[in-house]
Each structure stands twice: as C-alpha cells, then as structure tokens.
Amino acid sequence: MSPELILFLVLSLVAIAAAIGMLISPNPVYSALFLVINFSTVAVFYLILGAPFIAMAQITIYAGAIMVLFLFVIMLLGAEKLAPGKVLPYQKPLAIGLAIVLMVESVYAVLARNPSDAEIIVPTEAANSIDAMRDLGIMLFSDYLLPFEVTSILLLVAMIGAIVLTKRAKGEQE
Amino acid sequence: MPPINFNDIEVLLPLIILVIWACLLLLVDLFIPKKHKWLTALLAAFGLALTLGFTLSQLGSESNGFCATGKPSICMVVLDGFSVLVNALLLLTGLLGVALAYGYLKRMGIERGEYYTLMLFSISGMMLMAQASDLIIVFLALELLSLPLYVLSAFARSNSDSQEAGLKYFLLGAFSSGFILYGIALVYGATGSTSLSQIFEIASVGTSSLLLTIGAALILVGLGFKVAAVPFHMWTPDVYQGAPTPVTAFMTAGAKIAGFAALLRVFGSAFPNLSEDITPILWALSAATMIVGNLLAIAQTNIKRMLAYSSIAHTGYILMAFVPYGNPEVAPVSIAAGLFYLFAYTITNFGAWGVVIALEQKESKGLQISDYAGLRRKYPVLAGAMTVFMFSLIGFPPTLGMVGKFYLFRAVLSGGYTGLAIIGVVTSLVSAFYYLRVVVNMYMFAGEPKTDNEFWLRFTIAGAALVTVVFSLVPQGLFAWASRAVLKLF
C-alpha cells in the first residue's frame, strides 16, 4: 500500500463520517461544523489530485466564507433552539428508496466501467503551476475586466438592498 | 499593465456615468434631511437626464468595447443603433418612474432616499443588458437589474403584501436565473465560447447539436420568466399587486424592455440558425401569453391585478414580433414594430399606473375598479386621461396603442403568421371588455373618488396622455428610427 492510498482511505473515512454526522446531528450548529470538516477533507482530495488552486478555493470560499455565513445566520436566528419541525410522513421511505437507487447506480457505474478509460485525467503540470494562476489573474483584469467590475457593482447593490430591507429608522416599530 | 483603452470607456460612457451617479447619490442622500427628500428625487432625475443626453450623443456611432486581447472580434459589449434606442427608452422609463414615485412614497410614509439609488442601479443593469454581446454580461446584467427590483418590491416593509411580493419575486427570480445560467453552461459546453458572435460562428459550421438547442431553450425559459410570458407568469399578478405602485409601473415597463433586448441580442445574434426549432416555441409562447393574459384579466376586480394581467397580455403581443427572428427578410420590420410597440406600451402604461397612483389611498384602499365610479364628475381631466390610456391599451384610434398594433400585425402578416395575427386581433377584442369596464365605471356610475393632486404625478399623467394621442398622428419618424436601429442587426 502506497502512502498516498493510505492517506486517501483515511481521508475518505473522515469525509464520509463528517457527511453522516452532518445529516444526523440534531443541532444545526454541529451540522454546519461537520460540513466544514467535509469541505476541508475534499479540499485535501483536490491537493492529492494535483489541483492546488481548486483546493485553496474550496477552503477559502466554501469552508471559509460560505460556512461562516451559515453559522452566523444559524446563531443569529437562534435556529438551534427551534423545536424540530413537522416531518412529512412519506419523507423517510422516499429518502431511503432514493438513497438505495443512488447506491446501486454508483456501484454499477464503478463495476461496469470500461477498463480502458479507467485512467483519471490528471491536470498537466503547467495548468497547476504558479504561472497558471498568474495567467488567471491577468485574464481576470484584462479580457474579463468588465464582468469583474460588474460583479463588484452587483455585490454593492446586494449590500444596499440587504440594509434597506432590514435597517429600521429611529422610532420605527418592529 | 495595459494602458486604459478609451474606446472601451466611450462605448459604455452613459452606463459608467449612471453607475457613478448612483454611488454618489447614495452618499449625498445621507446628508439630505428627511424633510427634503425631494432633493434626492431631483438629483436622481438629473442624473438620468444627464445620462440620456450622453446616450443621445452616441446616436449614429457604432463600436465594440472590452474586446479580448489580440482578438478584436470577441467583445463583451457593443454600441449600435439598437442599444442607443433601447437605452434612451430605458432612461425615459427611469425618469417617468422617479416622477411617479416621489409623491407616492411621501404620501404612503415609505419615503427613503435609497429608493432612487436602487432604481438607478436597476436601470444601469437594463442598459448593460441592451449592450451585452457576451453571455456572461447578459447574466450579470440580468442580476444587476433584478436585485434592486426584488428590494424595491418589498420597499413598503410594513405592508405584508409588499413583503410577500418581494420574497416571491426574489425566489422565482433566483429560480429563473438558475435556468439561464444552466442554459449558458450548456451553450458553452456545446460551443466552447460565451461570446455571442463566436457562438454564432461555431454553430453555423457544425451540424446542429442537441446540447446547443437545449441550452438556447433554457435561456428562453429564463428570459420568459423575466418578461412574464405564459406559462412562466405565475409570479406576476401577486408581485405586481403587492409591490408599491410606482415600482410596479417601473417594473412592467423597464424589466420588459430589458428582457426583450436580451432576447433579441441573444437569439438574434447567437442563435439565428436554431430558428427552425425556436420559432414554433416562440409562436406558442406568444399565443398562450395573449390568450391567458387577456382571459384572466376579465375576472379581476382589483385594478392593479387587472393591469398586471394586461401586462402579461402585452408581453404576448411584443413576443409576436420575435417569432420570425430567423428570417432576415421579415425580421427587421417585425423587430422594429416590436420596439415601437414597447415605446407605445411604456408611455401608455406609465399613464395608466399614474392614474392608479392618484387614486390609491393608504392601506391599499382605492384600488378596486368600483372605486373609479364617479371620476368623470369630480375630476374630468383625470378621467379623460384614463380613457385615453384604456383605449390605447385596447388598440383603439387615435392612440399609440392602435398604431403599435397596426405595425405589429402588419409585420406578422407579412411574415406569413396569419394564425398568430388572428389570435392577436381576437384577444384585443376580448381585452376591450375589461378595459372599457374601467371607463364605464368612471363615466356611468356615481361615486366619491378621492385623488392626490401632487404636481409631478399630474404632469406625468397629462404628458403621457398627450404623447399617446399626438404621436399616434405622427408615428412615422419614430418607426423609421426603430427600423434604422435594428437594420444592422440582421
């Protein structure tokens, strides 16, 4: 067993355990934290596959920004104190049925795979070097300058909108 | 670092000015005391007028902006006659929107300066849409125009209808954005490019690909949501009824113009080869929208809801102009007719919503059609103006609506879509029933309506009525402008 394989197996176990933990944890805060673990392990997968940029993006954007936002919202709304909501009567059998279908499908896809195209395409060295990231940055500020700038305006508008909808003037009733 | 390309700035100059103005307005508004918010409205209107001036100075110039380095044919935005015409129309919409909003916001106690800032941002998104020549820009422009509209719909925060409108619009709008984004992804997968001209080139050499067609269809679904075409119209009545009335007036006109501009840009420049597949879909969408919109409007007793369904119906009429988009012989005339109809609809629509605003009272009172009873006796001018607008929406002479429908039906007939033209005429006749019911209420029944006498509101209503009648007598100049604007596109 190569060290890479051992690393992969350990990480997969952690990722799967974290995903299950997220699903069954009754407390939304714990669920969110489990998801952070899951995202981080997936980021390490990207590293093993030789895609450092996607790995870093995964950590900063998903595990970092988005999950912290989730945690904030959960804590601000006090969702962890909420009583569990009503469960649809057909939800459990439906979920189990769909999960089994997915399981069978993925096992079939792995077993029935044509051995000739079994190789995973690993990105070339050049696509992952620092040069590639520099090129990405240059593209962003040359060919894609306008979309980049419009995105910044979009974020500004979203911010203004959120404040307009939530900020109360002095003396305004809840 | 590459030098600043002044051509890029020139192409987007009006848009850049408007965005900067909106940012400054946001800051300046903080220092304007609550009693003097008229100053914010005035500054917003001034910014729009300034931008309109710069837009009109671009008349006749054609250029591309923000092109890829070394590839001058792949560009992000384009400036042409069509974009100038649509931008001018959008800025006019903005000016009318400010004029209608000012008195209303004050009267309803929801006056805050951010209203105008958000409106300016929304208009800049619409203008970007009209100039987009890349699917990424189309998507970003769509978001930029939609986000402020979601917030504006919920602007009357204490009113639960307005909150519902905002939330509903946001959820369904996000949903439709997902459709467009997925469509763009599929188109990118099929062609390897997001540039409209590149997509056209790649699509015209290879065999037709299913992926590309599905992508185009998904984009059509998403834009169908935005312009409220049947069967993607379910959100429209609730949102238009719940949103503050000036926002509704602005949405019905502005979002429609921008949506149709995107439809024309995307399908006209990237997918003319798909017209065999897309034209029947457009035909069915247009017919269904006209029929459902007009039939459901009959049952309404609330004027905002009725005008919402009327707006759906008019989407159907304008969609008619896009049906022959892949036929280069008919398409220019037909699209020009569509643009003219958009202008006619914008003016008439703002007038009609202006009258609704004049009669609306706090807590959503004064919005039933029966509340219009006795309007002629107490306010003959207002009743006369409303009559003009209703006639124009039906398509009755001498109004802009009649001229618009005439051009539209003529273009559709010359394209050989007789069935569609017949549906258009019959549904127009049906629509007379519910529009005339408002007129009958105003003239035949007795009542004690209360109205608002704010100057700018009166000014807008009177101006819109005047333009509706006068331009219907001399429509040729405007139609010629529209024809010239779209001729280069085909």
Side-chain angles (χ1 to χ4, degrees):
Chain A
M1 277 225 292
S2 70
E4 221 168 60
L5 187 64
I6 297 171
L7 187 62
F8 171 75
L9 287 177
V10 171
L11 279 174
S12 338
L13 282 180
V14 173
I16 293 171
I20 294 174
M22 189 215 97
L23 284 176
I24 60 174
S25 156
N27 187 330
V29 177
Y30 289 165
S31 280
L33 289 173
F34 272 122
L35 200 57
V36 173
I37 299 177
N38 182 274
F39 281 156
S40 316
T41 31
V42 173
V44 182
F45 281 145
Y46 289 136
L47 265 184
I48 296 176
L49 287 171
F53 179 70
I54 300 182
M56 288 306 124
Q58 167 87 5
I59 290 198
T60 49
I61 297 171
Y62 283 98
I66 293 182
M67 282 320 295
V68 169
L69 200 67
F70 274 21
L71 278 175
F72 258 109
V73 171
I74 292 171
M75 287 174 175
L76 280 179
L77 293 180
E80 78 276 8
K81 288 185 216 122
L82 281 182
K86 252 195 283 177
V87 181
L88 297 172
Y90 52 83
Q91 192 179 16
K92 210 165 196 174
L94 190 68
I96 292 174
L98 286 176
I100 290 174
V101 170
L102 182 68
M103 207 69 146
V104 171
E105 213 174 355
S106 23
V107 169
Y108 176 79
V110 171
L111 292 184
R113 199 170 53 163
N114 191 351
S116 66
D117 54 37
E119 263 175 81
I120 295 169
I121 300 169
V122 177
T124 55
E125 263 324 291
N128 280 302
S129 60
I130 296 297
D131 277 355
M133 259 179 261
R134 197 188 60 197
D135 288 348
L136 192 74
I138 290 175
M139 281 292 263
L140 209 54
F141 282 97
S142 59
D143 289 4
Y144 290 88
L145 178 66
L146 184 65
F148 186 79
E149 294 293 338
V150 174
T151 312
S152 68
I153 298 170
L154 197 60
L155 291 177
L156 173 70
V157 170
M159 224 149 51
I160 299 170
I163 293 169
V164 165
L165 286 182
T166 50
K167 186 172 172 284
R168 312 220 163 253
K170 273 178 214 154
E172 196 178 346
Q173 292 295 308
E174 268 290 319
Chain B
M1 192 188 145
I4 295 173
N5 186 343
F6 283 101
N7 177 51
D8 289 349
I9 294 183
E10 229 174 281
V11 168
L12 277 187
L13 187 62
L15 186 72
I16 293 171
I17 290 174
L18 191 61
V19 168
I20 293 176
W21 193 278
C23 294
L24 289 179
L25 188 67
L26 187 68
L27 291 177
V28 170
D29 174 60
L30 292 176
F31 298 98
I32 296 176
K34 190 128 183 74
K35 265 189 256 163
H36 299 287
K37 287 296 176 195
W38 58 270
L39 198 58
T40 314
L42 191 71
L43 283 174
F46 186 71
L48 287 167
L50 187 76
T51 316
L52 186 61
F54 275 100
T55 302
L56 291 178
S57 77
Q58 288 180 324
L59 258 181
S61 53
E62 281 185 27
S63 183
N64 289 317
F66 292 93
C67 302
T69 27
K71 282 175 251 168
S73 64
I74 305 176
C75 298
M76 289 286 165
V77 285
V78 54
L79 166 70
D80 55 14
F82 174 74
S83 78
V84 172
L85 176 67
V86 171
N87 282 351
L89 195 53
L90 286 170
L91 289 165
L92 180 71
T93 309
L95 281 170
L96 291 171
V98 172
L100 287 191
Y102 169 63
Y104 179 90
L105 295 180
K106 203 162 148 188
R107 195 150 48 95
M108 299 292 160
I110 50 173
E111 188 178 37
R112 273 178 303 160
E114 290 86 1
Y115 183 93
Y116 304 104
T117 314
L118 285 170
M119 222 171 114
L120 294 198
F121 276 122
S122 183
I123 294 168
S124 47
M126 294 168 185
M127 288 170 67
L128 187 62
M129 190 81 127
Q131 293 194 269
S133 65
D134 191 293
L135 286 176
I136 295 179
I137 296 290
V138 169
F139 178 72
L140 286 174
L142 192 74
E143 289 303 290
L144 184 55
L145 85 86
S146 303
L147 277 185
L149 287 183
Y150 303 147
V151 178
L152 287 176
S153 300
F155 204 76
R157 291 182 310 188
S158 53
N159 182 338
S160 62
D161 283 347
S162 175
Q163 288 177 2
E164 182 200 335
L167 189 64
K168 216 171 228 175
Y169 196 23
F170 172 66
L171 289 178
L172 284 169
F175 191 57
S176 71
S177 294
F179 272 103
I180 293 185
L181 207 53
Y182 193 32
I184 292 175
L186 290 185
V187 169
Y188 181 73
T191 61
S193 175
T194 54
S195 156
L196 296 180
S197 57
Q198 284 291 103
I199 293 170
F200 171 66
E201 271 174 38
I202 294 165
S204 54
V205 285
T207 51
S208 72
S209 112
L210 185 64
L211 210 56
L212 188 66
T213 315
I214 295 177
L218 282 175
I219 295 177
L220 183 63
V221 169
L223 290 177
F225 262 109
K226 293 289 171 193
V227 298
V230 174
F232 317 114
H233 67 289
M234 304 308 260
W235 57 273
T236 321
D238 289 344
V239 173
Y240 284 5
Q241 186 185 4
T245 315
V247 179
T248 312
F250 175 61
M251 266 196 298
T252 50
K256 240 190 220 12
I257 298 169
F260 280 112
L263 211 57
L264 183 62
R265 279 272 187 244
V266 174
F267 285 85
S269 38
F271 304 133
N273 304 316
L274 296 179
S275 65
E276 237 173 79
D277 293 323
I278 300 286
T279 294
I281 302 179
L282 280 174
W283 196 100
L285 278 184
S286 166
T289 309
M290 285 188 284
I291 294 171
V292 172
N294 278 313
L295 286 184
L296 290 182
I298 293 175
Q300 307 308 321
T301 54
N302 179 303
I303 188 114
K304 277 177 95 172
R305 238 180 143 72
M306 185 203 96
L307 284 176
Y309 279 108
S310 140
S311 144
I312 296 175
H314 281 88
T315 298
Y317 293 117
I318 301 162
L319 264 179
M320 231 156 84
F322 287 84
V323 172
Y325 83 95
N327 180 348
E329 280 164 28
V330 191
V333 184
S334 157
I335 301 289
L339 278 179
F340 186 89
Y341 199 85
L342 268 176
F343 171 76
Y345 177 70
T346 302
I347 299 290
T348 309
N349 188 48
F350 265 105
W353 284 109
V355 178
V356 173
I357 288 173
L359 267 87
E360 184 174 346
Q361 304 295 322
K362 271 195 176 175
E363 285 152 10
S364 307
K365 294 221 172 65
L367 287 174
Q368 296 301 313
I369 294 177
S370 53
D371 290 328
Y372 285 68
L375 195 65
R376 183 198 63 96
R377 208 177 44 80
K378 271 188 93 173
Y379 304 99
V381 180
L382 204 60
M386 190 60 164
T387 311
V388 168
F389 302 136
M390 290 297 123
F391 277 1
S392 180
L393 287 173
I394 302 170
F396 204 77
T399 56
L400 266 182
M402 187 279 285
V403 185
K405 276 200 175 128
F406 169 73
Y407 283 137
L408 207 55
F409 291 151
R410 195 182 59 177
V412 171
L413 279 176
S414 71
Y417 298 96
T418 320
L420 203 57
I422 292 175
I423 295 177
V425 172
V426 171
T427 51
S428 298
L429 285 177
V430 171
S431 75
F433 177 74
Y434 60 86
Y435 290 128
L436 286 181
R437 197 164 56 195
V438 179
V439 178
V440 167
N441 260 291
M442 290 190 303
Y443 281 82
M444 309 269 191
F445 299 141
E448 288 294 321
K450 271 184 280 185
T451 73
D452 182 38
N453 284 317
E454 199 255 323
F455 170 74
W456 286 107
L457 181 62
R458 286 296 168 97
F459 178 80
T460 312
I461 296 171
L466 209 63
V467 170
T468 305
V469 174
V470 171
F471 264 79
S472 74
L473 305 174
V474 281
Q476 294 88 353
L478 199 67
F479 187 68
W481 183 15
S483 304
R484 269 200 311 278
V486 294
L487 206 58
K488 291 269 171 57
L489 292 179
F490 295 95

